[in-house]
Amino acid sequence: MSYYRDPTANAAIGTVDREIKLMRKRAAEIKRRRQRGQLTAEELAKARRQFVGIYRRFLRAALED
């Protein structure tokens, strides 16, 4: 999807959109593993290091159920 006439801006926005989609998928997988009791402490620690900044809310939502 094209947001602006500027191809550089479109590329940057597309990259961010893909990264957000990937992080949402990772958070959903963490949520599934946690609900099944398969999430290890090491995996949780790795996720906490990966989900920083604007992505922190995805992990928080996955762990709050």
Side-chain angles (χ1 to χ4, degrees):
M1 179 175 203
S2 183
Y3 293 98
Y4 301 104
R5 291 181 187 217
D6 180 11
T8 304
N10 285 332
I13 291 170
T15 301
V16 171
D17 285 345
R18 283 190 295 278
E19 188 173 0
I20 287 172
K21 184 178 178 182
L22 176 67
M23 295 302 274
R24 282 185 175 152
K25 285 174 112 176
R26 287 182 182 169
E29 179 61 27
I30 288 169
K31 181 177 182 176
R32 280 192 292 279
R33 290 183 56 79
R34 185 181 152 275
Q35 289 174 341
R36 293 179 188 155
Q38 298 174 338
L39 187 65
T40 65
E42 294 84 22
E43 291 172 334
L44 182 58
K46 181 180 176 183
R48 288 184 194 273
R49 287 190 303 271
Q50 288 177 341
F51 286 82
V52 295
I54 63 172
Y55 306 115
R56 182 173 288 145
R57 63 188 171 107
F58 299 144
L59 181 62
R60 190 177 308 132
L63 297 175
E64 283 182 349
D65 286 343

